[in-house]
Amino acid sequence: MTAFAVPGRFEGSYLGDASRLSATARMECKICWHVYDPAEGCDVWQVPAGTPFAALPGEWRCPVCDGDRDQFMTLDAGTDTAAPPPAAAAAPPRPAVAAPELPTAVIQGLERAFREIHTAQMRGIPIVNDALAVKAVGFRAWDGRWLGALITPWFMNLVLLPGGADDWSGLVPGAKELVEFPSGRYEFVHALRKDVGPYKACSLFSPMFEFTSMLHASETAAAALVALFDPEIREDGARTAEIRRLREAELAPPAGAVEPAEAEAAPVDEPPPPPRRPSRRVLLMGPGAEPAP
């Protein structure tokens, strides 16, 4: 794993000089207080234990809040004073492993595609939350692929992008598969856009009216990405089905509400039908994704 180039200035208490850091120094994010401990590494970014902060891959960001590395401050200096045992001193250095390159162009293309959908096709639709915008959040390497979240004014999805060894050209849009994470199994839908390429999407929230700002939505997306890797919250079955059941329960009429049969019998003026809710396929992949009748 190659060391990253140190920027001209860090905001941490080591004054921008990586040579001041011990290889065992623990660093704390000043935004969310997440601690990076070299002895533990970082499971979310697949950084092995024993990796000093100064040797993290160039695209590494806080796994909790997605903050830049220059927001980390020295929590304790660690210690490198003890002389290594002779066997360790004589051991040959481990070969450096280059970190995979973040597919920035694909992520930007995903954002651009859904911004165009928002502008051209979603304006004025009742499920759109005008307080939100389109943003990709927290993409990181996972299991040879790239995992992140996509926020739009009408949905929040987990997104899987193919890695360098993957050939997803044969994905069938709309096909479903369960993907295993430490916290459970999640249902992903296959998608293929000519301006993005193949990817897989898992719906977390739709519509998005419970989010009052982009900060609120972004923090929720970052927390969801961390929770994916928490085995303590694992449950049997597909977790996405449980998410949908909870959302349906939230949207159900309150106790004591008039049942549909009673409402039909009551002599009241019938209101106009509500706007047709887009299908799950449209929510995941945008208008135009419905198959031809």
Side-chain angles (χ1 to χ4, degrees):
M1 186 172 296
T2 55
F4 65 90
V6 178
R9 173 169 177 77
F10 274 49
E11 297 181 6
S13 58
Y14 59 100
L15 304 178
D17 184 358
S19 65
R20 293 173 177 261
L21 291 178
S22 161
T24 59
R26 297 192 305 154
M27 305 294 289
E28 182 178 59
C29 177
K30 73 176 188 179
I31 298 175
C32 68
W33 303 290
H34 169 72
V35 175
Y36 176 78
D37 187 345
E40 299 177 359
C42 179
D43 289 339
V44 173
W45 281 84
Q46 298 184 314
V47 174
T51 304
F53 186 81
L56 290 171
E59 70 277 4
W60 187 89
R61 299 171 68 87
C62 177
V64 174
C65 71
D66 201 42
D68 292 333
R69 70 178 68 241
D70 60 6
Q71 302 297 320
F72 278 70
M73 302 182 70
T74 306
L75 182 63
D76 56 53
T79 174
D80 291 333
T81 56
R94 292 183 359 185
V97 178
E101 185 177 351
L102 188 71
T104 304
V106 177
I107 295 169
Q108 291 175 345
L110 191 66
E111 289 180 322
R112 184 167 54 251
F114 279 91
R115 287 192 186 109
E116 291 173 358
I117 290 171
H118 181 211
T119 300
Q121 303 177 51
M122 299 298 291
R123 296 289 188 186
I125 294 181
I127 64 167
V128 171
N129 182 348
D130 291 330
L132 305 180
V134 175
K135 181 182 180 183
V137 176
F139 273 86
R140 70 224 32 205
W142 174 73
D143 198 25
R145 300 181 175 113
W146 294 94
L147 171 70
L150 180 67
I151 299 168
T152 78
W154 64 98
F155 70 70
M156 181 189 298
N157 290 346
L158 297 174
V159 173
L160 269 176
L161 300 177
D166 290 317
D167 180 6
W168 286 4
S169 59
L171 288 188
V172 178
K176 300 175 182 178
E177 71 171 288
L178 291 177
V179 179
E180 187 83 16
F181 289 91
S183 62
R185 291 177 296 154
Y186 295 79
E187 183 184 85
F188 281 73
V189 177
H190 296 181
L192 180 64
R193 301 191 67 87
K194 64 179 181 180
D195 43 1
V196 176
Y199 64 95
K200 302 174 184 180
C202 170
S203 178
L204 292 181
F205 296 95
S206 182
M208 297 284 284
F209 293 117
E210 62 196 89
F211 299 103
T212 57
S213 67
M214 279 302 296
L215 177 61
H216 184 193
S218 297
E219 288 176 344
T220 300
L225 288 167
V226 173
L228 282 176
F229 298 93
D230 184 0
E232 296 297 324
I233 64 173
R234 185 180 181 91
E235 297 178 3
D236 293 332
R239 300 299 307 280
T240 43
E242 179 64 19
I243 290 172
R244 288 198 295 277
R245 283 196 297 271
L246 291 173
R247 289 290 295 160
E248 289 168 1
E250 291 172 3
L251 297 174
V258 178
E259 293 294 328
E262 298 174 14
E264 289 174 6
V268 295
D269 293 334
E270 208 172 293
R276 179 175 177 268
R277 179 183 173 85
S279 69
R280 178 171 171 77
R281 183 185 179 96
V282 169
L283 289 172
L284 286 167
M285 292 176 280
E290 290 284 20

